[in-house]
Amino acid sequence: MTVGPYETVMGFLVGPWLAQAVRAAVDLSLAEHLADGPRTAAEIAEAEGADPGATARFLRACASMGLVTYTEGGFAGTELLTVLHRDAPMSLRDLAASQSSACMWRTWARIPEAIRSGEAQTTQALGMSFFDYLAAHPDEGALFGAAMASMSAPVIREAVEVIDATGATTVVDVGGAHGSFALAMLAKHPGLEAIVLDLPHSVPGAQAAAAESGLADRFTAVAGDFFKEVPPGDILLLKFILHDWSDDDCVLLLSNCRDALRPGGRIVITEIVIDDHSPGIAPLMDIAMLASAGSRERTLAEFDDLLSRAGLRRSTATPVEPPYVVIEATTAA
Protein backbone atom coordinates (compact mmCIF):
# COMPACT_ATOMS: atom_id res chain seq x y z
CA MET A 1 0.00 0.00 0.00
CA THR A 2 1.34 3.39 -1.01
CA VAL A 3 1.44 5.97 1.77
CA GLY A 4 0.31 9.30 0.41
CA PRO A 5 0.65 12.83 1.78
CA TYR A 6 -2.61 12.60 3.76
CA GLU A 7 -1.51 9.44 5.55
CA THR A 8 1.99 10.83 6.13
CA VAL A 9 0.77 14.04 7.74
CA MET A 10 -1.79 12.10 9.79
CA GLY A 11 1.14 10.07 11.09
CA PHE A 12 2.79 13.31 12.22
CA LEU A 13 -0.36 14.51 13.94
CA VAL A 14 -0.89 11.39 16.03
CA GLY A 15 2.71 11.51 17.23
CA PRO A 16 1.61 12.84 20.66
CA TRP A 17 -0.77 9.89 21.03
CA LEU A 18 2.04 7.45 20.31
CA ALA A 19 4.44 9.10 22.75
CA GLN A 20 1.86 9.12 25.53
CA ALA A 21 1.00 5.48 24.84
CA VAL A 22 4.67 4.60 25.30
CA ARG A 23 4.66 6.60 28.52
CA ALA A 24 1.60 4.64 29.71
CA ALA A 25 3.33 1.36 28.85
CA VAL A 26 6.19 2.44 31.11
CA ASP A 27 3.82 3.59 33.86
CA LEU A 28 2.01 0.22 33.79
CA SER A 29 5.35 -1.69 33.72
CA LEU A 30 4.17 -3.53 30.63
CA ALA A 31 7.63 -4.75 29.66
CA GLU A 32 8.22 -6.17 33.12
CA HIS A 33 4.80 -7.89 33.26
CA LEU A 34 5.36 -9.59 29.89
CA ALA A 35 9.05 -10.42 30.36
CA ASP A 36 8.33 -14.04 31.33
CA GLY A 37 5.57 -14.77 28.84
CA PRO A 38 2.06 -13.78 27.75
CA ARG A 39 -0.50 -12.39 30.19
CA THR A 40 -4.10 -11.39 29.78
CA ALA A 41 -5.37 -7.84 30.03
CA ALA A 42 -7.23 -8.80 33.20
CA GLU A 43 -4.04 -10.10 34.82
CA ILE A 44 -2.13 -6.92 34.01
CA ALA A 45 -5.01 -4.75 35.18
CA GLU A 46 -5.17 -6.60 38.48
CA ALA A 47 -1.42 -6.31 39.02
CA GLU A 48 -1.51 -2.57 38.35
CA GLY A 49 -4.80 -1.72 39.99
CA ALA A 50 -6.09 -0.50 36.61
CA ASP A 51 -9.50 -0.67 34.98
CA PRO A 52 -9.77 -4.04 33.14
CA GLY A 53 -11.72 -2.69 30.19
CA ALA A 54 -9.44 0.29 29.69
CA THR A 55 -6.38 -1.96 30.03
CA ALA A 56 -7.69 -4.27 27.29
CA ARG A 57 -8.28 -1.30 25.02
CA PHE A 58 -4.81 0.03 25.76
CA LEU A 59 -3.18 -3.32 24.94
CA ARG A 60 -5.07 -3.35 21.66
CA ALA A 61 -3.53 0.07 20.89
CA CYS A 62 -0.09 -1.26 21.87
CA ALA A 63 -0.59 -4.15 19.44
CA SER A 64 -1.29 -1.66 16.66
CA MET A 65 2.03 0.04 17.49
CA GLY A 66 3.97 -3.24 17.50
CA LEU A 67 4.74 -3.15 21.23
CA VAL A 68 2.75 -6.35 21.89
CA THR A 69 1.17 -9.15 19.88
CA TYR A 70 -1.96 -11.25 20.41
CA THR A 71 -1.42 -14.85 21.55
CA GLU A 72 -3.61 -17.64 22.88
CA GLY A 73 -2.38 -16.77 26.36
CA GLY A 74 -3.27 -13.10 26.05
CA PHE A 75 -0.64 -10.53 25.03
CA ALA A 76 3.07 -11.06 24.50
CA GLY A 77 5.81 -8.44 24.42
CA THR A 78 7.77 -7.76 21.23
CA GLU A 79 11.36 -6.70 20.63
CA LEU A 80 10.18 -3.09 20.70
CA LEU A 81 8.75 -3.51 24.18
CA THR A 82 11.99 -4.94 25.55
CA VAL A 83 13.75 -1.55 25.29
CA LEU A 84 11.22 -0.21 27.82
CA HIS A 85 12.22 -2.81 30.42
CA ARG A 86 14.03 -1.27 33.38
CA ASP A 87 16.82 -3.87 33.13
CA ALA A 88 17.39 -3.65 29.36
CA PRO A 89 21.05 -2.98 28.45
CA MET A 90 20.11 0.34 26.82
CA SER A 91 16.70 0.90 28.36
CA LEU A 92 14.57 3.82 27.17
CA ARG A 93 12.22 3.52 30.14
CA ASP A 94 13.40 6.67 31.92
CA LEU A 95 13.61 8.64 28.68
CA ALA A 96 10.02 7.70 27.81
CA ALA A 97 8.81 8.87 31.21
CA SER A 98 10.81 12.09 31.17
CA GLN A 99 10.28 13.24 27.59
CA SER A 100 6.54 12.59 27.80
CA SER A 101 6.12 14.43 31.10
CA ALA A 102 4.01 17.52 31.57
CA CYS A 103 6.94 19.92 31.95
CA MET A 104 8.27 18.92 28.53
CA TRP A 105 4.94 18.97 26.76
CA ARG A 106 3.88 22.34 28.15
CA THR A 107 7.04 23.84 26.67
CA TRP A 108 6.77 22.07 23.31
CA ALA A 109 3.17 23.20 22.97
CA ARG A 110 4.67 26.67 22.53
CA ILE A 111 6.94 25.81 19.59
CA PRO A 112 5.03 28.23 17.28
CA GLU A 113 5.75 31.04 19.76
CA ALA A 114 9.40 29.97 19.94
CA ILE A 115 9.70 30.16 16.16
CA ARG A 116 8.03 33.58 15.98
CA SER A 117 10.16 35.05 18.77
CA GLY A 118 13.37 33.03 18.44
CA GLU A 119 13.32 32.66 22.21
CA ALA A 120 12.89 29.91 24.81
CA GLN A 121 9.37 29.29 26.07
CA THR A 122 10.04 27.60 29.41
CA THR A 123 9.37 30.69 31.51
CA GLN A 124 5.98 31.14 29.83
CA ALA A 125 5.21 27.42 30.14
CA LEU A 126 6.71 26.59 33.54
CA GLY A 127 7.14 29.93 35.29
CA MET A 128 10.95 29.63 35.35
CA SER A 129 13.88 28.38 33.29
CA PHE A 130 14.10 24.66 32.60
CA PHE A 131 17.05 23.97 34.90
CA ASP A 132 15.56 26.11 37.67
CA TYR A 133 12.39 24.04 37.29
CA LEU A 134 14.34 20.79 37.67
CA ALA A 135 16.08 22.15 40.77
CA ALA A 136 12.70 23.10 42.24
CA HIS A 137 11.22 19.69 41.44
CA PRO A 138 13.88 17.15 42.54
CA ASP A 139 11.87 14.08 41.50
CA GLU A 140 11.58 15.37 37.95
CA GLY A 141 15.22 16.46 38.05
CA ALA A 142 16.30 12.95 39.04
CA LEU A 143 14.13 11.44 36.29
CA PHE A 144 15.62 13.83 33.73
CA GLY A 145 19.13 12.84 34.81
CA ALA A 146 18.28 9.16 34.45
CA ALA A 147 16.70 9.85 31.06
CA MET A 148 19.82 11.61 29.80
CA ALA A 149 21.89 8.65 30.96
CA SER A 150 19.76 6.22 28.94
CA MET A 151 19.75 8.49 25.89
CA SER A 152 23.52 8.79 26.15
CA ALA A 153 24.28 5.08 26.41
CA PRO A 154 24.90 4.23 22.73
CA VAL A 155 26.84 7.47 22.19
CA ILE A 156 29.00 6.94 25.26
CA ARG A 157 29.72 3.34 24.25
CA GLU A 158 31.32 4.56 21.01
CA ALA A 159 32.84 7.76 22.40
CA VAL A 160 34.95 6.01 25.04
CA GLU A 161 36.51 3.93 22.25
CA VAL A 162 37.81 7.01 20.41
CA ILE A 163 39.11 8.99 23.40
CA ASP A 164 42.80 8.41 24.08
CA ALA A 165 43.37 8.56 27.84
CA THR A 166 47.12 7.91 27.68
CA GLY A 167 48.91 9.88 30.39
CA ALA A 168 45.69 11.16 31.97
CA THR A 169 44.94 10.68 35.65
CA THR A 170 41.74 12.71 36.15
CA VAL A 171 38.67 13.01 33.97
CA VAL A 172 36.06 15.67 34.79
CA ASP A 173 32.50 15.14 33.55
CA VAL A 174 31.25 18.73 33.34
CA GLY A 175 27.48 18.89 33.77
CA GLY A 176 27.60 15.11 33.78
CA ALA A 177 24.30 14.44 35.63
CA HIS A 178 24.60 10.88 36.97
CA GLY A 179 28.11 10.46 35.60
CA SER A 180 27.46 7.83 32.92
CA PHE A 181 30.28 9.09 30.69
CA ALA A 182 32.78 9.34 33.54
CA LEU A 183 31.89 5.87 34.79
CA ALA A 184 32.35 4.42 31.31
CA MET A 185 35.78 6.03 31.15
CA LEU A 186 36.69 4.57 34.55
CA ALA A 187 35.56 1.11 33.47
CA LYS A 188 37.78 1.25 30.39
CA HIS A 189 40.79 2.90 32.04
CA PRO A 190 41.61 1.46 35.50
CA GLY A 191 44.21 4.17 36.16
CA LEU A 192 41.76 7.05 35.92
CA GLU A 193 39.89 8.91 38.62
CA ALA A 194 36.73 10.87 37.84
CA ILE A 195 34.93 13.97 39.07
CA VAL A 196 31.35 14.75 38.05
CA LEU A 197 30.25 18.37 38.36
CA ASP A 198 26.54 19.18 38.28
CA LEU A 199 23.74 20.90 40.18
CA PRO A 200 22.94 19.62 43.69
CA HIS A 201 19.87 17.61 42.63
CA SER A 202 22.09 15.38 40.45
CA VAL A 203 24.65 14.45 43.09
CA PRO A 204 22.71 11.65 44.86
CA GLY A 205 21.97 9.95 41.53
CA ALA A 206 25.64 10.17 40.53
CA GLN A 207 26.78 8.71 43.84
CA ALA A 208 24.26 5.88 43.55
CA ALA A 209 25.36 5.11 39.97
CA ALA A 210 29.01 4.97 41.03
CA ALA A 211 28.21 2.64 43.93
CA GLU A 212 26.13 0.39 41.68
CA SER A 213 29.00 0.22 39.18
CA GLY A 214 31.51 -0.68 41.89
CA LEU A 215 33.60 2.39 41.00
CA ALA A 216 32.85 4.68 43.93
CA ASP A 217 36.46 4.52 45.17
CA ARG A 218 37.63 6.40 42.04
CA PHE A 219 34.62 8.66 41.65
CA THR A 220 33.62 11.99 43.22
CA ALA A 221 30.37 13.87 42.63
CA VAL A 222 30.60 17.63 43.18
CA ALA A 223 27.74 20.13 43.36
CA GLY A 224 28.58 23.38 41.64
CA ASP A 225 28.07 25.87 38.81
CA PHE A 226 30.23 25.36 35.73
CA PHE A 227 29.73 29.00 34.79
CA LYS A 228 31.73 29.91 37.89
CA GLU A 229 34.37 27.21 38.18
CA VAL A 230 35.32 23.79 36.81
CA PRO A 231 37.48 21.30 38.75
CA PRO A 232 40.94 20.77 37.24
CA GLY A 233 41.59 17.69 35.14
CA ASP A 234 43.44 16.14 32.22
CA ILE A 235 40.33 15.31 30.19
CA LEU A 236 37.24 17.47 30.51
CA LEU A 237 34.07 15.89 29.12
CA LEU A 238 31.21 18.05 27.80
CA LYS A 239 28.47 15.73 26.61
CA PHE A 240 25.15 17.22 25.41
CA ILE A 241 25.99 20.44 27.29
CA LEU A 242 26.78 23.18 24.78
CA HIS A 243 23.48 22.72 22.93
CA ASP A 244 21.70 23.91 26.10
CA TRP A 245 23.25 27.37 26.01
CA SER A 246 23.67 30.55 23.99
CA ASP A 247 26.93 31.29 22.18
CA ASP A 248 28.07 33.72 24.88
CA ASP A 249 27.28 31.22 27.64
CA CYS A 250 29.17 28.51 25.76
CA VAL A 251 32.23 30.76 25.44
CA LEU A 252 32.16 31.42 29.20
CA LEU A 253 31.86 27.70 29.97
CA LEU A 254 34.60 26.76 27.52
CA SER A 255 36.85 29.47 28.96
CA ASN A 256 36.34 28.00 32.45
CA CYS A 257 37.19 24.57 31.05
CA ARG A 258 40.33 25.98 29.41
CA ASP A 259 41.41 27.43 32.75
CA ALA A 260 40.79 24.05 34.44
CA LEU A 261 42.94 22.07 32.00
CA ARG A 262 46.14 20.65 33.35
CA PRO A 263 49.20 20.94 31.07
CA GLY A 264 48.66 18.84 27.97
CA GLY A 265 44.99 18.36 28.78
CA ARG A 266 42.04 18.21 26.38
CA ILE A 267 38.41 19.17 26.28
CA VAL A 268 36.21 16.48 24.72
CA ILE A 269 32.87 17.75 23.38
CA THR A 270 30.22 15.22 22.37
CA GLU A 271 27.32 16.84 20.54
CA ILE A 272 25.09 16.68 17.51
CA VAL A 273 26.79 18.30 14.52
CA ILE A 274 24.13 19.62 12.16
CA ASP A 275 23.99 21.06 8.66
CA ASP A 276 21.24 22.09 6.26
CA HIS A 277 20.91 18.53 4.97
CA SER A 278 20.95 16.65 8.29
CA PRO A 279 18.30 13.88 8.28
CA GLY A 280 16.38 12.35 11.17
CA ILE A 281 16.43 13.63 14.72
CA ALA A 282 19.03 16.42 14.46
CA PRO A 283 16.80 19.17 12.97
CA LEU A 284 13.97 18.21 15.33
CA MET A 285 16.31 18.37 18.33
CA ASP A 286 17.38 21.81 17.13
CA ILE A 287 13.78 23.06 17.36
CA ALA A 288 13.27 21.36 20.74
CA MET A 289 16.35 23.19 22.05
CA LEU A 290 15.01 26.48 20.71
CA ALA A 291 11.73 26.04 22.59
CA SER A 292 13.17 24.68 25.82
CA ALA A 293 16.37 26.71 26.19
CA GLY A 294 16.51 29.31 23.42
CA SER A 295 19.63 27.47 22.26
CA ARG A 296 20.57 25.36 19.25
CA GLU A 297 22.39 22.47 17.64
CA ARG A 298 25.49 23.67 15.78
CA THR A 299 27.56 23.11 12.66
CA LEU A 300 31.23 22.17 12.93
CA ALA A 301 32.16 25.71 11.83
CA GLU A 302 30.02 27.13 14.65
CA PHE A 303 31.79 24.90 17.18
CA ASP A 304 35.14 26.09 15.81
CA ASP A 305 34.04 29.69 16.32
CA LEU A 306 33.07 29.04 19.95
CA LEU A 307 36.38 27.31 20.60
CA SER A 308 38.35 30.16 19.04
CA ARG A 309 36.53 32.75 21.14
CA ALA A 310 37.43 30.75 24.26
CA GLY A 311 41.12 30.51 23.41
CA LEU A 312 40.88 26.91 22.20
CA ARG A 313 41.34 25.07 18.91
CA ARG A 314 39.82 21.88 17.54
CA SER A 315 42.29 19.02 17.11
CA THR A 316 39.94 16.23 15.98
CA ALA A 317 36.30 15.60 15.09
CA THR A 318 35.27 11.93 15.08
CA PRO A 319 31.75 10.81 14.10
CA VAL A 320 30.18 8.26 16.46
CA GLU A 321 26.51 7.22 16.84
CA PRO A 322 24.76 9.43 14.23
CA PRO A 323 24.25 12.37 14.40
CA TYR A 324 26.82 12.77 17.20
CA VAL A 325 30.48 13.77 16.85
CA VAL A 326 33.30 13.69 19.38
CA ILE A 327 35.25 16.96 19.11
CA GLU A 328 38.58 17.28 20.91
CA ALA A 329 40.06 20.68 21.65
CA THR A 330 43.24 21.99 23.26
CA THR A 331 44.47 25.44 24.21
CA ALA A 332 45.17 27.65 21.21
CA ALA A 333 48.64 28.69 22.37
Side-chain angles (χ1 to χ4, degrees):
M1 176 181 173
T2 302
V3 177
Y6 177 89
E7 291 81 8
T8 298
V9 174
M10 276 297 295
F12 298 158
L13 296 178
V14 301
W17 304 354
L18 302 177
Q20 292 299 337
V22 172
R23 181 187 178 200
V26 165
D27 190 65
L28 293 171
S29 298
L30 204 56
E32 288 77 14
H33 287 309
L34 299 181
D36 296 325
R39 300 186 71 177
T40 65
E43 289 171 332
I44 293 172
E46 182 179 3
E48 290 294 320
D51 180 83
T55 302
R57 293 165 62 188
F58 173 64
L59 287 164
R60 181 173 62 194
C62 288
S64 77
M65 296 167 61
L67 292 173
V68 302
T69 58
Y70 295 99
T71 71
E72 289 185 3
F75 293 89
T78 66
E79 187 177 13
L80 294 182
L81 189 67
T82 62
V83 301
L84 299 178
H85 196 291
R86 59 173 54 91
D87 295 329
M90 290 190 290
S91 174
L92 293 177
R93 178 185 176 87
D94 292 325
L95 186 65
S98 175
Q99 296 299 296
S100 301
S101 65
C103 76
M104 296 291 188
W105 283 65
R106 290 204 299 270
T107 299
W108 294 337
R110 297 185 60 86
I111 281 178
E113 289 83 358
I115 295 168
R116 290 184 182 279
S117 67
E119 297 176 350
Q121 296 298 305
T122 47
T123 299
Q124 294 87 335
L126 305 176
M128 61 190 78
S129 75
F130 181 67
F131 290 109
D132 285 344
Y133 179 90
L134 294 182
H137 298 81
D139 290 347
E140 292 186 60
L143 180 60
F144 179 77
M148 291 303 97
S150 66
M151 184 177 179
S152 303
V155 182
I156 290 172
R157 183 184 58 208
E158 294 188 25
V160 295
E161 296 299 324
V162 303
I163 298 172
D164 183 3
T166 302
T169 59
T170 304
V171 59
V172 181
D173 200 348
V174 182
H178 292 178
S180 301
F181 205 167
L183 291 170
M185 290 289 290
L186 293 185
K188 182 172 175 61
H189 303 286
L192 278 181
E193 295 187 353
I195 299 170
V196 173
L197 172 70
D198 212 313
L199 297 174
H201 69 262
S202 292
V203 170
Q207 292 170 331
E212 185 177 346
S213 301
L215 297 168
D217 59 327
R218 294 191 283 136
F219 181 94
T220 304
V222 176
D225 181 350
F226 52 48
F227 288 120
K228 294 181 179 178
E229 187 178 17
V230 173
D234 305 293
I235 299 174
L236 272 57
L237 304 174
L238 289 168
K239 175 184 59 62
F240 307 173
I241 301 297
L242 298 183
H243 76 160
D244 287 331
W245 303 101
S246 70
D247 287 356
D248 288 344
D249 285 337
C250 287
V251 171
L252 173 58
L253 170 54
L254 288 168
S255 297
N256 288 343
C257 289
R258 179 203 63 213
D259 293 343
L261 280 179
R262 292 173 177 164
R266 291 165 290 139
I267 298 169
V268 179
I269 300 163
T270 305
E271 291 277 3
I272 287 174
V273 172
I274 197 172
D275 60 38
D276 289 342
H277 306 289
S278 294
I281 195 174
L284 297 174
M285 182 71 83
D286 186 37
I287 296 302
M289 297 313 302
L290 168 63
S292 62
S295 57
R296 63 189 305 129
E297 304 300 343
R298 293 178 171 89
T299 65
L300 194 56
E302 288 169 332
F303 280 114
D304 286 343
D305 180 63
L306 295 179
L307 292 169
S308 177
R309 289 173 59 189
L312 299 161
R313 61 177 179 83
R314 171 168 57 92
S315 53
T316 63
T318 307
V320 286
E321 177 79 11
Y324 296 99
V325 175
V326 175
I327 298 169
E328 295 199 13
T330 59
T331 55

